[in-house]
């Protein structure tokens, strides 16, 4: 008889989650997604390398252009439904950024980057994607180190989240974004490891 493991995530209220994180110095590897406490495990080497390349590219773009927005890694963000995910990378335009302080950021990022790994893939492609696009994130990059692709998901209030109009970029392509004037990154660089 085959057995299938079912993971049940405990239900946690936003105030309980914030109290637990505050007691742990906001360092617990747990996100609050749609009312469920979800353990986030460390990434594998390819995922970590891709995330590092993207973060460095975004910081370099900021320095080169004088962008006054904010780029952060692994910071909790307070979403209107009570969720408190910690996107791999978040960028806020200068107009939308909130002060950096202890705890969750209180404004929705303009850009979110999620690097898929075996432990996060289902949530990143499902409930978190829907959360981001339904809550005011303008653009989501779903980075797949296994396929060496980045999928750009753009906010469009007139279409369903799963309408299939995403832009999938491969190793031979360049990543650009209307949110980030002048930003260009060759994807071969992201997936060189």
């Amino acid at each position: 008889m085959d057995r299938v493991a079912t993971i049940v995530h405990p239900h946690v209220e936003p105030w309980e989650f914030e109290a637990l994180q505050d007691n742990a110095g906001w360092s617990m590897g747990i996100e609050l997604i749609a009312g469920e406490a979800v353990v986030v495990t460390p990434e594998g080497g390819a995922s970590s390398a891709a995330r590092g390349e993207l973060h460095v590219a975004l910081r370099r773009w900021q320095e080169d252009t004088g962008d006054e927005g904010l780029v952060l890694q692994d910071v909790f963000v307070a979403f209107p439904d009570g969720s408190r995910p910690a996107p791999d990378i978040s960028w806020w335009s200068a107009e939308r950024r909130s002060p950096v302080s202890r705890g969750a950021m209180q404004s929705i990022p303009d850009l979110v980057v999620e690097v898929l790994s075996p432990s996060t893939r289902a949530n990143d492609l499902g409930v978190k994607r829907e959360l981001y696009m339904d809550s005011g994130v303008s653009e989501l990059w779903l980075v797949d180190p296994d396929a060496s692709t980045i999928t750009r998901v753009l906010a469009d209030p007139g279409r369903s989240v799963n309408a299939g109009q995403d832009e999938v970029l491969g190793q031979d392509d360049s990543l650009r974004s209307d949110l980030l004037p002048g930003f260009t990154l060759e994807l071969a660089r992201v997936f060189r490891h």
Side-chain angles (χ1 to χ4, degrees):
M1 177 174 159
D2 292 336
R3 292 189 177 179
V4 176
T6 301
I7 298 173
V8 177
H9 302 288
H11 180 80
V12 178
E13 295 296 327
W15 68 268
E16 294 173 303
F17 177 81
E18 290 182 3
L20 290 168
Q21 285 289 5
D22 197 51
N23 284 339
W26 286 87
S27 62
M28 289 175 45
I30 298 174
E31 295 178 306
L32 182 60
I33 303 171
E36 295 182 353
V38 179
V39 174
V40 181
T41 59
E43 301 172 343
S47 296
S48 181
R51 181 174 70 163
E53 291 290 340
L54 285 162
H55 185 257
V56 167
L58 286 166
R59 290 290 299 134
R60 188 174 298 127
W61 167 79
Q62 282 192 301
E63 291 169 7
D64 291 348
T65 63
D67 176 69
E68 294 183 3
L70 179 64
V71 175
L72 297 174
Q73 293 186 76
D74 294 323
V75 64
F76 291 100
V77 179
F79 278 79
D81 75 340
S83 292
R84 302 294 184 266
D88 291 323
I89 302 171
S90 302
W91 174 78
W92 290 261
S93 62
E95 298 80 31
R96 287 182 62 173
R97 71 184 281 178
S98 60
V100 177
S101 62
R102 183 181 173 103
M105 295 293 289
Q106 296 299 311
S107 63
I108 303 299
D110 295 276
L111 170 68
V112 167
V113 179
E114 289 288 5
V115 181
L116 308 180
S117 67
S119 64
T120 66
R121 179 177 294 274
N123 279 339
D124 290 344
L125 295 174
V127 66
K128 287 174 75 176
R129 174 188 166 132
E130 290 179 27
L131 171 67
Y132 296 147
M133 302 319 293
D134 289 346
S135 299
V137 170
S138 297
E139 189 167 328
L140 169 64
W141 298 349
L142 295 167
V143 182
D144 189 341
D146 292 339
S148 297
T149 61
I150 294 180
T151 301
R152 288 182 61 230
V153 181
L154 304 176
D156 182 352
R159 76 171 173 96
S160 163
V161 171
N162 298 312
Q165 297 178 2
D166 304 334
E167 179 182 19
V168 179
L169 303 168
Q171 273 193 326
D172 296 331
D173 297 318
S174 295
L175 176 62
R176 293 177 177 82
S177 171
D178 291 341
L179 287 177
L180 314 170
F183 179 85
T184 301
L185 178 62
E186 303 299 321
L187 264 61
R189 181 172 183 85
V190 174
F191 300 115
R192 65 184 171 167
H193 301 287

